[in-house]
Amino acid sequence: MKPLDLITIGRSSVDLYGDQIGGRLEDMGSFSKYIGGSPTNIACGTARLGLRSAVITGVGDEHMGRFIREQLVREGVDVRGVKTDPERLTALVLLGIRDEDSFPLIFYRENCADMGLTEEDIDESFIAEARAVLATGTHLSHPQTRAAVIRALELARKHGAQTALDIDYRPNLWGVAGHGEGESRFVESAEVTAQLQATLHLFDLIVGTEEEFHIAGGSTDTIAALCAVRQVSGATLVCKRGAVGAVAFEGRVPDSLDDGQTGPGFPIEVFNVLGAGDGFFSGLMKGWLDGEDWPRALEYANACGAFAVSRHGCTPAYPSLAELEFFLDRGVVRPDLRNDAELEQIHWATNRAGDWSSVKTFAFDHRLQLEEMPGYSRKQGGAFKELCLEAALKVAAGKPGYGILCDDRIGRPALHAAMGSGLWIGRPTEFPGSRPLELEPELGVDLGGLSEWPRDQVVKCLCFCHPDDNVATWTAQEDTVLRLFSAARRNGLEFLLEVIPSKVAPVDDMTTAHLIQRFYDLGISPDWWKLEPFRTEAAWQNAVDAITRNDPNTRGIVVLGLDAPEDELAESFALAAKQPLVKGFAVGRTIFGDAARAWLKGEMSDDEAVRQMADRYAALCAIWDKARAAAKEAA
């Protein structure tokens, strides 16, 4: 078996999508940043569907180039073929959604990094690893990149790989339309037709819209154009027909498009056609490379295209395999898929990036506890939290599976310094000790403050609640948690909900499970749960059952420490580690309490504080790892 299913080759970009819907591109006030470019989108879309995908492209040696590379890694795409060009900038695209028929866009691609690809950038051993190579039309528009694409295709054929073409005709990228005509999809050009037809024999699969086959075939009559393509290529031809679906022709082109092989379409609302073709091709490649017949492959393709046209952005809109299978089994419930709550939850939960199967967390997001210590000042508190981060990084030592909880009020310097460190980062939102729950003022009345948060930070909310709370308390707390959860999702942030009923009233083995179910019934599906260390296996099992029953795709649970001594934590870890859904711990004062009290009074140096906290954090990590290993062995 070859290591890769698919290598795509061609353009990549940073897409800046206007957030305001229904206005001109001139009117946009803010933009969302995504990766883009047909080969890049398809590599990500197929990776989400379970294919082992890679991309050959070029990015600049700057922030946007690093963003594309890092995002590709998050999507599970092999980036060995991504060339970093020290001379050229990463391509940018500005896009907007005006209405269901108008999607203005501007390409910033003048001498961009992906156009710097050459034949020398095509590694034969890399191409030999793939079952298929997919090219897109833009890179056939320039002699240098054209040579690179043809080299990749010839090597693919040499090593027995299938080849595919996304015609992907953008007239202005071929120089036959102006910069302001990025939205244009068709301008006749005999030269472009000749350039395309000279390469069509190299492909086993050719995909395009009717307009794209018009340029490839040199005729505005679709059947005539398809016949012209057939004269120079034996490829399977797949013609996309918008809302009508798509049709495949393996042999002779019939007299009517309706006589080809088709797959079922889906009655959905058209919200954004940009990137829909790349989503379509992702589903098509999944079916084709899995050996499905064309009707089934086209069903995958149509479904993936339906997701794309119903959501904002290109790559972010594409489904995971679990999402696609769920959708094909359940069908369309409402045509605006982005507002289908059940589907959107699966989309969110199955496309999250990062492997957090283990999260051993040093929690120093405490505010009230530090503020009450002798010697505390805001400046000293911030400096101490930087020492906490230093201890956390010392223990993590670049290894995965470690995290911190840090606040922005006292710990802002540490919080900012932690970004990009590889740590899992949770950030509290609750006002310390509040009940009913109140949120930190920095978030704003409308929670607009979350729009300023980096996407890699997890929104953490501690709610002191109990099933026996009165109606007024529950109403206030539910409203706050629901607003916060909704705002987190709106801003693309993961959400951690911490519940501590034992501080409110007596608890039994069902108390926390009842709380969990209540929040799910409210429409809140946390990515993470932070739970008390239960004393019985029954309490753990009840809580885990409540979570998995409502959200089998949850990230998991971290168990909190409640300032317990190390021996008590070891006992609670042993019980919690028996549950695979528990991914680790979040412990704070057990690690930093003694150091904070001594350091704030001037009785401990920086180095001594870091050393003590690192030793205690490392000891807890070892206890957790031992408990997890013992649980796995017992299982």
Side-chain angles (χ1 to χ4, degrees):
M1 177 183 292
K2 291 190 173 185
L4 292 172
D5 293 308
L6 176 66
I7 296 175
T8 66
I9 179 170
R11 60 190 171 98
S12 61
S13 64
V14 172
D15 286 358
L16 299 176
Y17 257 87
D19 291 321
Q20 291 75 46
I21 309 302
R24 305 175 305 160
L25 199 54
E26 294 91 328
D27 302 322
M28 297 301 161
S30 61
F31 295 82
S32 292
K33 183 180 70 171
Y34 309 126
I35 54 175
S38 292
T40 309
N41 288 336
I42 295 170
C44 293
T46 50
R48 287 188 175 191
L49 295 176
L51 296 184
R52 297 160 299 166
S53 302
V55 61
I56 296 174
T57 189
V59 299
D61 187 15
E62 22 74 354
H63 310 80
M64 296 298 100
R66 289 189 289 274
F67 165 70
I68 290 176
R69 184 182 293 274
E70 291 174 10
Q71 189 61 36
L72 285 169
V73 171
R74 292 188 187 100
E75 294 284 355
V77 175
D78 188 316
V79 295
R80 286 177 291 162
V82 179
K83 172 186 177 181
T84 298
D85 192 320
E87 304 297 329
R88 297 174 174 87
L89 291 172
T90 303
L92 297 177
V93 184
L94 270 63
L95 314 93
I97 301 174
R98 179 69 187 269
D99 53 47
E100 64 179 31
D101 298 312
S102 180
F103 305 91
L105 70 160
I106 304 171
F107 291 98
Y108 289 81
R109 294 184 49 79
E110 188 69 30
N111 196 31
C112 66
D114 66 60
M115 293 302 287
L117 286 179
T118 68
E119 287 186 77
E120 289 70 33
D121 296 318
I122 307 303
D123 183 339
E124 180 171 357
S125 63
F126 184 49
I127 297 294
E129 292 185 23
R131 295 171 55 210
V133 172
L134 186 156
T136 57
T138 302
H139 270 53
L140 298 173
S141 67
H142 187 277
Q144 178 179 290
T145 55
R146 179 187 181 89
V149 171
I150 291 175
R151 171 69 173 161
L153 294 170
E154 290 173 343
L155 290 172
R157 286 183 168 270
K158 175 182 175 180
H159 291 282
Q162 299 277 73
T163 56
L165 171 67
D166 181 357
I167 299 173
D168 186 37
Y169 181 44
R170 302 285 185 168
N172 68 329
L173 299 185
W174 281 83
V176 296
H179 290 308
E181 298 178 79
E183 189 179 357
S184 172
R185 295 305 179 99
F186 182 72
V187 174
E188 288 187 90
S189 170
E191 182 179 349
V192 173
T193 297
Q195 293 275 18
L196 287 173
Q197 289 201 353
T199 64
L200 297 183
H201 66 283
L202 294 171
F203 297 100
D204 301 301
L205 173 65
I206 300 173
V207 178
T209 62
E210 291 192 52
E211 291 82 4
E212 286 169 337
F213 274 108
H214 292 171
I215 194 67
S219 172
T220 55
D221 179 287
T222 303
I223 294 296
L226 288 165
C227 288
V229 171
R230 173 60 73 230
Q231 288 178 4
V232 295
S233 176
T236 297
L237 309 179
V238 174
C239 183
K240 298 179 288 186
R241 305 176 66 193
V244 181
V247 59
F249 305 103
E250 290 185 276
R252 185 186 69 85
V253 176
D255 295 333
S256 170
L257 292 179
D258 296 332
D259 293 334
Q261 299 185 67
T262 62
F266 302 91
I268 49 87
E269 174 202 67
V270 175
F271 176 68
N272 170 32
V273 301
L274 300 172
D278 302 335
F280 176 94
F281 216 142
S282 298
L284 191 71
M285 291 301 292
K286 170 65 175 175
W288 188 43
L289 293 178
D290 280 0
E292 302 286 358
D293 59 25
W294 284 112
R296 182 62 167 170
L298 289 169
E299 181 181 26
Y300 289 168
N302 290 336
C304 290
F307 282 111
V309 300
S310 186
R311 290 172 172 157
H312 196 262
C314 298
T315 290
Y318 303 154
S320 66
L321 182 58
E323 182 184 359
L324 176 62
E325 291 173 340
F326 172 83
F327 178 69
L328 292 177
D329 180 63
R330 189 206 63 173
V332 176
V333 171
R334 55 183 302 167
D336 51 340
L337 301 184
R338 69 191 176 284
N339 294 317
D340 182 329
E342 185 177 23
L343 191 61
E344 282 298 291
Q345 169 59 23
I346 296 172
H347 179 69
W348 169 269
T350 58
N351 286 308
R352 288 175 298 218
D355 175 12
W356 294 112
S357 52
S358 175
V359 187
K360 293 169 285 192
T361 307
F362 180 5
F364 50 90
D365 57 328
H366 304 68
R367 287 142 288 165
L368 186 62
Q369 294 89 340
L370 272 181
E371 290 165 342
E372 292 175 343
M373 290 183 182
Y376 170 82
S377 68
R378 175 69 70 87
K379 182 178 179 180
Q380 286 292 85
F384 180 74
K385 294 203 173 191
E386 290 185 89
L387 299 180
C388 291
L389 174 62
E390 186 178 338
L393 292 171
K394 183 176 181 180
V395 175
K399 302 185 297 293
Y402 294 83
I404 62 169
L405 285 172
C406 181
D407 65 291
D408 184 64
R409 192 200 320 162
I410 301 172
R412 179 173 295 177
L415 185 67
H416 289 181
M419 292 304 300
S421 66
L423 294 172
W424 178 94
I425 301 173
R427 178 172 162 183
T429 55
E430 74 281 349
F431 194 81
S434 60
R435 179 175 144 82
L437 174 66
E438 296 179 18
L439 301 178
E440 284 277 14
E442 62 156 7
L443 296 175
V445 175
D446 62 351
L447 302 183
L450 287 181
S451 66
E452 300 174 2
W453 285 34
R455 294 289 177 87
D456 289 342
Q457 292 180 1
V458 177
V459 176
K460 174 248 178 182
C461 177
L462 165 58
C463 184
F464 292 101
C465 54
H466 193 279
D468 295 338
D469 282 341
N470 60 49
V471 172
T473 300
W474 264 117
T475 298
Q477 302 216 120
E478 285 178 336
D479 176 69
T480 302
V481 176
L482 181 58
R483 287 192 304 112
L484 181 63
F485 169 74
S486 300
R489 282 291 173 83
R490 187 168 60 250
N491 287 282
L493 298 162
E494 292 190 26
F495 182 73
L496 180 152
L497 181 57
E498 177 179 2
V499 292
I500 305 182
S502 69
K503 299 292 187 181
V504 179
V507 298
D508 59 29
D509 289 348
M510 283 299 298
T511 302
T512 298
H514 284 312
L515 291 175
I516 290 168
Q517 187 60 55
R518 182 157 188 158
F519 283 110
Y520 278 121
D521 290 342
L522 195 63
I524 296 168
S525 295
D527 302 274
W528 296 94
W529 288 92
K530 189 176 177 206
L531 303 179
E532 296 181 88
F534 303 132
R535 297 184 178 277
T536 68
E537 289 191 23
W540 270 117
Q541 193 60 56
N542 291 336
V544 167
D545 287 346
I547 294 170
T548 54
R549 181 173 62 247
N550 288 278
D551 183 10
N553 298 306
T554 185
R555 285 283 203 186
I557 302 167
V558 290
V559 59
L560 57 96
L562 292 179
D563 200 20
E566 190 174 290
D567 57 343
E568 288 186 21
L569 285 175
E571 184 178 346
S572 68
F573 284 1
L575 197 59
K578 294 180 180 180
Q579 297 290 343
L581 196 63
V582 181
K583 307 302 182 183
F585 61 82
V587 174
R589 283 168 291 171
T590 304
I591 299 172
F592 76 74
D594 290 340
R597 284 183 282 270
W599 186 87
L600 287 171
K601 290 190 292 185
E603 298 172 355
M604 181 178 283
S605 70
D606 291 358
D607 289 344
E608 290 170 333
V610 170
R611 187 180 310 114
Q612 183 185 98
M613 291 188 292
D615 287 346
R616 291 187 177 184
Y617 180 33
L620 287 179
C621 291
I623 291 170
W624 174 261
D625 290 341
K626 182 179 179 181
R628 177 64 90 199
K632 288 182 177 178
E633 184 177 348

